[in-house]
Amino acid sequence: MTLWFWIVVACVAGFLTKLLGYLVPRTWLTNPRVARVAGTLTIGLLASLTVANAVASGQALVLDSRLGALAAAALALWLKAPFLLVVIVGAAAAAGLRLLGMP
């Protein structure tokens, strides 16, 4: 099996998953419980991706300046800063920590 085979399989699986979404009855989608679960699931997935990208390097867990940047950005979010400022605070924290010698 080549890499291209698996890429095509993943594309077909993604397309079929999207196509199945059109077959879901409208009453299921308008149910408030389904909308709440979908919104919560999205937040959970994004949070897990963010944490995984902040502490993972290859197959190892590392504590480096990315985690400090994430903490600084989380603090800015908690203080209800605008999104652009949150990004700038996170980038500045990472730069500052790397300047101090943290990997």
Side-chain angles (χ1 to χ4, degrees):
M1 304 281 173
T2 65
L3 178 64
W4 283 106
F5 173 76
W6 292 110
I7 290 173
V8 170
V9 167
C11 290
V12 169
F15 180 75
L16 289 177
T17 302
K18 191 167 186 149
L19 191 62
L20 285 175
Y22 289 112
L23 301 176
V24 174
R26 182 174 299 271
T27 56
W28 290 9
L29 297 176
T30 57
N31 186 344
R33 182 181 299 169
V34 172
R36 189 176 62 226
V37 167
T40 306
L41 192 63
T42 303
I43 292 170
L45 284 172
L46 287 175
S48 64
L49 279 172
T50 302
V51 170
N53 283 325
V55 297
S57 178
Q59 294 191 1
L61 294 177
V62 294
L63 297 178
D64 57 8
S65 60
R66 294 177 297 169
L67 195 57
L70 181 63
L75 180 65
L77 275 176
W78 184 62
L79 295 173
K80 299 188 187 300
F83 180 71
L84 184 59
L85 184 61
V86 170
V87 172
I88 291 172
V89 165
L97 289 171
R98 287 184 179 154
L99 187 65
L100 292 174
M102 192 171 193

